[in-house]
Amino acid sequence: LNEPKKFLGVAKMIPLDQYAITTQNISADWLSARQLQLDVLRLDKIHPVISGNKWFKVKYYLQKAKAERATTLATFGGAWSNHIAATAHAGKVFGISTVGIIRGEEPANPSITLQQAKADGMQLMFVSRQAYRDKQHFIQQHPSWYWVNEGGYGQTGTQGAAEILSFVDDLETYTHIVAAVGTGTMLAGLINASLNHQQVIGISSMKGNIDLEESIRLLLVNKSSSFSINHDFHFGGYGKHPTGLIEFINAVYHQHALPLDIVYTGKTFFAIKQLAEAGDFRPGSKILMIHSGGLQGNKSLPAQLLAF
Ligand SMILES: *Cc1c(COP(=O)(O)O)cnc(C)c1O
């Protein structure tokens, strides 16, 4: 019980509470009525800022930056980006300067995420949405910086994400692994680390991102691995959080003491329930949902909208 899991050989890099990761069983009528089991891997618990999948994705970039003797690690993101928050904090603890290229003009009242990133020492460079599109332009201006793609997309991020499943007890007993998808980096890691009999399902948080499957396929070790992306649960688009979603997240919190985020994991849990009710999982299926963190982003909501 609670045996120290090999924390990826980099346990000493950052004092994260990896022992806090638990697998939470969800008990509900909509599951038992169909003989389904659902467990949630609580990656949100490792750290309040470097939370969830972001730590897994960023760690090998930090290592590589150090190995290449870069003194600055630079990356891209929006005002509420979990990736910006995690990179800033990880850089501070790890001892490397960070720069964030932020999409959009500098706001009069910066988001809590950006305030935190700044407090963690990240240098923020605000650029117009137009300029933001040309990532190569920034990279050419600062070739000595170690550059990380928006959202940590890439092989190096995937390599870290693949280690997520090493925290799952009895991994082989699961028939399905379900996770939220942004860039697809985490999902690619999960696919790479999944077992042959397991179905990996990604729930896209974006509306109609048709390039997603291909972006993921580029990161797979075994190119014939099968996976599926569901595009039906975006709730209006990336970052959109209609009242129905907020109410759902509050209900889940009250019923299961499971806090979800409005951009990714709330939509993913909702999708699992809908798919279960639609009979998409065979009776007897055992589903693992990855709680990929992101709770810091909930601070974009007005106070008291969420029950936690
Ligand atoms: C960033 C993020 C994702 C998406 O991860 P990708 O690797 O970009 O697909 C999912 N869930 C949460 C909570 C995130 O912060």
Side-chain angles (χ1 to χ4, degrees):
L1 210 74
N2 252 354
E3 259 178 52
K5 300 230 166 71
K6 48 174 167 55
F7 203 48
L8 336 165
V10 285
K12 285 182 223 87
M13 276 170 69
I14 293 186
L16 292 169
D17 193 4
Q18 68 264 31
Y19 305 117
I21 298 177
T22 55
T23 307
Q24 178 179 349
N25 178 254
I26 302 296
S27 139
D29 289 347
W30 55 269
L31 291 162
S32 55
R34 295 167 188 85
Q35 296 162 53
L36 302 176
Q37 278 188 73
L38 172 61
D39 288 338
V40 179
L41 185 69
R42 297 285 305 272
L43 300 181
D44 57 306
K45 299 210 281 186
I46 57 176
H47 193 281
V49 183
I50 321 174
S51 151
N53 73 0
K54 293 299 178 284
W55 159 246
F56 289 89
K57 289 201 289 180
V58 85
K59 53 186 253 197
Y60 287 121
Y61 287 116
L62 290 169
Q63 254 188 354
K64 278 195 171 177
K66 271 236 165 129
E68 292 180 18
R69 299 185 190 286
T71 54
T72 299
L73 181 147
T75 191
F76 305 88
W80 292 102
S81 163
N82 296 325
H83 170 66
I84 287 290
T87 304
H89 200 81
K92 175 173 118 171
V93 182
F94 193 60
I96 187 165
S97 301
T98 54
V99 173
I101 311 291
I102 309 300
R103 184 182 57 235
E105 307 299 341
E106 181 161 13
N109 299 306
S111 67
I112 294 167
T113 303
L114 293 181
Q115 290 176 36
Q116 170 82 44
K118 200 171 174 185
D120 281 333
M122 180 177 261
Q123 183 195 336
L124 303 178
M125 293 170 61
F126 294 89
V127 304
S128 71
R129 280 161 194 274
Q130 176 76 23
Y132 184 83
R133 288 198 201 106
D134 185 9
K135 308 274 188 300
Q136 219 49 45
H137 167 78
F138 301 105
I139 297 171
Q140 278 156 13
Q141 278 185 335
H142 301 280
S144 69
W145 292 354
Y146 187 90
W147 286 91
V148 175
N149 286 331
E150 183 173 24
Y153 177 83
Q155 296 288 352
T156 305
T158 303
Q159 186 193 346
E163 295 172 355
I164 288 172
L165 293 184
S166 70
F167 289 88
V168 180
D169 290 326
D170 305 323
L171 176 64
E172 70 283 355
T173 63
Y174 292 93
T175 55
H176 298 77
I177 298 169
V178 186
V181 176
T183 64
T185 309
M186 168 173 62
L187 202 81
L190 295 172
I191 297 164
N192 286 340
S194 67
L195 306 170
N196 278 336
H197 69 276
Q198 293 171 332
Q199 224 173 306
V200 181
I201 303 170
I203 307 299
S204 177
S205 57
M206 279 172 270
K207 189 169 170 175
N209 183 357
I210 52 165
D211 299 331
L212 210 43
E213 277 86 348
E214 187 52 24
S215 308
I216 292 171
R217 214 162 270 127
L218 290 172
L219 300 173
L220 299 185
V221 174
N222 181 351
K223 302 292 177 207
S224 66
S225 296
S226 72
F227 67 95
S228 60
I229 304 289
N230 187 307
H231 295 272
D232 299 336
F233 296 98
H234 53 73
F235 280 85
Y238 185 75
K240 295 278 192 298
H241 44 78
T243 313
L245 180 64
I246 303 289
E247 284 170 357
F248 179 76
I249 288 173
N250 281 334
V252 170
Y253 184 74
H254 286 306
Q255 281 159 27
H256 309 293
L258 177 67
L260 299 168
D261 85 289
I262 56 173
V263 181
Y264 296 102
T265 55
K267 296 178 182 181
T268 300
F269 196 96
F270 184 90
I272 292 172
K273 182 162 185 273
Q274 292 287 307
L275 295 173
E277 287 171 347
D280 277 29
F281 299 106
R282 277 186 315 284
S285 295
K286 189 174 174 193
I287 305 157
L288 179 71
M289 169 178 155
I290 309 299
H291 190 320
S292 38
L295 296 173
Q296 69 89 26
N298 284 353
K299 291 181 184 153
S300 69
L301 291 177
Q304 270 105 47
L305 217 48
L306 287 178
F308 54 92

